[in-house]
Amino acid sequence: MFKKILIANRGEIAIRVMKACREMGIESVAVYSTIDRDALHVRTADEAICIGEASPNESYLNIDAIIKAVKETGAEAVHPGYGFLAENYLFAQRCEKEGIVFIGPDSKALKLVGDKVASREVTEKEGITLIPGMKDKSTDVNECLSEAEKIGFPVLLKASAGGGGKGMRVVNSKGELKDAVEAGMREAQTAFGDPSVYLEKYIEKPRHVEFQILADNHGNAVHLFERECSIQRRHQKIIEESPSTALDDDLRRKMGETALKVVEVSGYTNAGTVEFLLDENGNYYFLEVNARLQVEHPVTEMVCGIDLVHAQIRIASGEKLWFSQGDLSQRGHAIECRVYAEDPESNFLPSAGKILYMKEPTGPGIRHDCGVYSGCVVSVYYDPILSKLITWALTREICCRRMAAALSDFPVLGIKTDIEFLHDVIVHPEFLKGNTFTNFIPVNMPDWKPVVDDEMLNRSLLSAAIYSDNVGKRTVVSGKSEEFPSPWSTLGDWEIGK
Ligand code: MV4
């Protein structure tokens, strides 16, 4: 087993990995940019090393600086977390060349699953179902027309250089296609410098269902069932859960087998995720492999009772998988809410600044994977995720209640967060019914506004009024003239946020 691991990341995921290291008796090394000097991941690590300026290209994305830090600290392995260099095969390749263990798949598998065209080809050859669509991208309107007729309307026009849903448009009939393709190509050229597009069968009201897998370097692989990630805002996941309300045992078994087949044909090892779109009739289509530990991995951990970071580290160190598919089952239900420093009242604009006060929810079945603390500064340089709140309970209903209660017991002052918004999604009747589709937010929460709690507002105004009326005035206490006391010194045992 490794003695020392460098974590090439920041925020909650760096801390999550450090906790696993500590539990396993492995020393952890944090890397940080100049603006992250006081960040929580630096304080949590056994050792920390500055790797450059705030801009990600000069620090967390700087391969040379990270390799140098590994050598200087004598770490044997690197955990990349998610984002930054996690899926960069050149980084994995560099580690391989330098004799450093990259905790993830090897660079060859990483390169294959990162190339969408190549991975579609490999998987389709094995009989894995993809969304019916064009084999190749195109810039020819007539070719698009004949392909669309073969696929059948409605079709979805995607920019071939786009990702994360950028540049997609639905085309309902032949008559609309020419204008749509021309507009789509112009948009793709402007946005990505590449006008080529392709067409797919449009899946209406799909769900995003993904399977967690673990594969060792000895040919053994298991899946740890599914996560449902359909609640998204502009292609950004915000709430995930496991099990999915859309699967029965039969579909779950079939999708799990497909996921394992994808892993096998890609030569993929370590932890990974196989993504599917699931339609309303229970047809599922392979989308892609995410070659990393995912943000939403905790819901799988809670339901399966497996620590995925421990597993990643043990697999990377060469261990054989120590359990088989038959040993795994789903117990209870878990939900994760992503806490972002974003202002839901201003179009979810990032909200930077100092966290003046924060109280983390705690209690039975509550887990908080957190990257910040009261008093720390949230900068504008990185992804605005602050933490993840995860609840577990035996049933989905109790799990939702637990999540709603935990979100209500989670004051964060100084910056704006999406906590209230998340709460209102969780208590929405459609969410409680399990009607979680990818269009949930636009359909069910179109013009969300926070509920103003009149009693809380009145109390705050009253306190402020009493205080401001007395500022600078003097009063007589025990015959002596004194400055009017501030509520901070007279209220006694109290807490902000209660
Ligand atoms: C689709 C689709 C419907 N039909 N493809 C969006 C991002 C990309 N990863 C795939 N996406 C979609 N592709 C076809 N043929 C609907 C979506 C989609 C979506 C997918 C997963 C999660 C959230 C989504 C939100 C809107 C659209």
Side-chain angles (χ1 to χ4, degrees):
M1 185 44 69
F2 310 115
K3 288 197 176 62
K4 197 188 259 193
I5 294 176
L6 181 139
I7 295 98
N9 215 301
R10 65 183 303 285
E12 65 84 19
I13 195 63
I15 293 149
R16 163 74 188 89
V17 175
M18 287 167 193
K19 285 184 176 165
C21 290
R22 174 138 315 162
E23 289 158 9
M24 297 174 80
I26 300 168
E27 281 179 69
S28 59
V29 182
V31 294
Y32 63 95
S33 71
T34 47
I35 203 165
D36 271 345
R37 219 169 274 287
D38 295 318
L40 187 58
H41 76 285
V42 176
R43 299 183 174 193
T44 308
D46 293 316
E47 198 179 329
I49 184 164
C50 184
I51 51 167
E53 297 299 315
S55 153
N57 278 323
E58 294 179 46
S59 46
Y60 300 105
L61 286 172
N62 184 340
I63 294 180
D64 285 329
I66 288 168
I67 297 289
K68 186 162 163 268
V70 174
K71 298 201 157 163
E72 269 177 37
T73 55
E76 304 147 88
V78 175
H79 195 299
Y82 56 72
F84 294 124
L85 295 170
E87 289 168 278
N88 184 323
Y89 78 91
L90 293 171
F91 179 57
Q93 210 167 52
R94 178 73 184 277
C95 289
E96 287 161 11
K97 237 202 287 183
E98 305 274 357
I100 301 161
V101 177
F102 175 83
I103 302 176
D106 66 24
S107 60
K108 194 163 155 261
L110 205 49
K111 187 176 182 189
L112 172 65
V113 302
D115 180 338
K116 304 303 161 216
V117 176
S119 68
R120 282 173 70 99
E121 255 172 34
V122 168
T123 47
E124 192 166 30
K125 250 200 294 208
E126 298 294 326
I128 289 157
T129 311
L130 308 174
I131 301 173
M134 282 163 64
K135 291 268 174 297
D136 281 311
K137 56 190 184 179
S138 174
T139 50
D140 178 352
V141 175
N142 287 325
E143 187 184 2
C144 288
L145 261 172
S146 68
E147 289 286 342
E149 303 229 280
K150 275 194 253 167
I151 297 165
F153 289 94
V155 294
L156 186 66
L157 180 77
K158 294 184 175 180
S160 76
K166 266 189 223 124
M168 297 194 324
R169 51 178 80 208
V170 182
V171 186
N172 287 305
S173 66
K174 193 178 167 185
E176 293 172 22
L177 192 79
K178 185 168 181 283
D179 287 353
V181 170
E182 282 169 354
M185 290 196 320
R186 273 197 305 275
E187 245 176 52
Q189 174 63 39
T190 315
F192 313 109
D194 174 0
S196 51
V197 294
Y198 67 98
L199 297 172
E200 275 179 1
K201 178 84 195 152
Y202 176 56
I203 315 290
E204 274 164 273
K205 276 182 84 181
R207 295 185 188 243
H208 174 125
V209 176
E210 57 185 34
F211 272 68
Q212 176 69 50
I213 63 91
L214 283 174
D216 67 19
N217 304 332
H218 308 275
N220 309 300
V222 294
H223 71 78
L224 292 91
F225 307 99
E226 79 280 11
R227 293 184 288 261
E228 153 105 40
C229 311
S230 299
I231 307 287
Q232 308 198 359
R233 242 199 72 260
R234 288 203 227 101
H235 304 293
Q236 170 94 276
K237 294 171 189 166
I238 56 172
I239 296 173
E240 305 95 347
E241 62 183 302
S242 186
S244 164
T245 57
L247 305 195
D248 57 25
D249 288 345
D250 188 47
L251 185 53
R252 178 171 291 117
R253 190 181 41 73
K254 282 196 282 195
M255 291 180 80
E257 280 167 11
T258 307
L260 285 174
K261 197 154 180 195
V262 172
V263 168
E264 189 193 323
V265 302
S266 338
Y268 191 93
T269 57
N270 212 284
T273 298
V274 182
E275 274 188 13
F276 299 100
L277 274 192
L278 175 67
D279 74 14
E280 287 187 283
N281 303 318
N283 302 307
Y284 62 92
Y285 307 93
F286 167 62
L287 278 181
E288 62 182 44
V289 176
N290 295 134
R292 59 173 186 274
L293 179 71
Q294 287 199 263
V295 178
E296 60 272 25
H297 76 276
V299 294
T300 299
E301 297 187 319
M302 304 302 273
V303 164
C304 292
I306 299 283
D307 188 304
L308 288 168
V309 181
H310 283 219
Q312 283 194 296
I313 294 171
R314 289 175 65 173
I315 288 170
S317 79
E319 274 188 52
K320 278 192 182 157
L321 267 183
W322 49 100
F323 50 85
S324 55
Q325 192 65 54
D327 298 325
L328 294 168
S329 61
Q330 295 170 296
R331 183 169 176 271
H333 200 96
I335 301 178
E336 171 181 282
C337 285
R338 298 191 186 187
V339 180
Y340 286 109
E342 289 177 348
D343 184 358
E345 281 185 89
S346 304
N347 208 14
F348 292 86
L349 231 66
S351 172
K354 185 170 180 169
I355 298 182
L356 297 173
Y357 177 82
M358 171 175 104
K359 185 167 99 34
E360 302 180 48
T362 60
I366 297 176
R367 165 174 169 181
H368 190 223
D369 281 21
C370 185
V372 293
Y373 57 88
S374 277
C376 86
V377 174
V378 178
S379 80
V380 293
Y381 285 96
Y382 312 110
D383 188 89
I385 195 164
L386 298 175
S387 72
K388 301 174 319 207
L389 183 60
I390 304 108
T391 55
W392 178 92
L394 263 180
T395 68
R396 186 174 188 271
E397 191 194 340
I398 303 172
C399 191
C400 289
R401 286 170 182 265
R402 195 164 256 177
M403 178 60 81
L407 287 166
S408 306
D409 184 29
F410 192 177
V412 178
L413 305 183
I415 56 170
K416 304 277 188 179
T417 73
D418 64 345
I419 291 173
E420 267 190 86
F421 179 77
L422 291 166
H423 173 272
D424 290 355
V425 175
I426 294 288
V427 300
H428 196 285
E430 291 301 310
F431 185 87
L432 294 177
K433 280 190 239 164
N435 288 335
T436 47
F437 295 93
T438 45
N439 61 359
F440 184 96
I441 302 292
V443 169
N444 296 306
M445 331 266 302
D447 322 290
W448 180 84
K449 288 268 175 296
V451 179
V452 177
D453 180 333
D454 280 341
E455 181 176 339
M456 204 59 142
L457 191 65
N458 284 342
R459 284 198 213 177
S460 311
L461 289 174
L462 211 56
S463 314
I466 292 166
Y467 179 50
S468 60
D469 214 35
N470 290 322
V471 172
K473 288 189 194 162
R474 299 187 77 79
T475 183
V476 176
V477 181
S478 316
K480 279 193 288 183
S481 170
E482 280 185 6
E483 206 161 290
F484 221 94
S486 108
W488 299 95
S489 59
T490 55
L491 279 177
D493 189 19
W494 68 291
E495 241 184 275
I496 296 180
K498 269 224 171 133

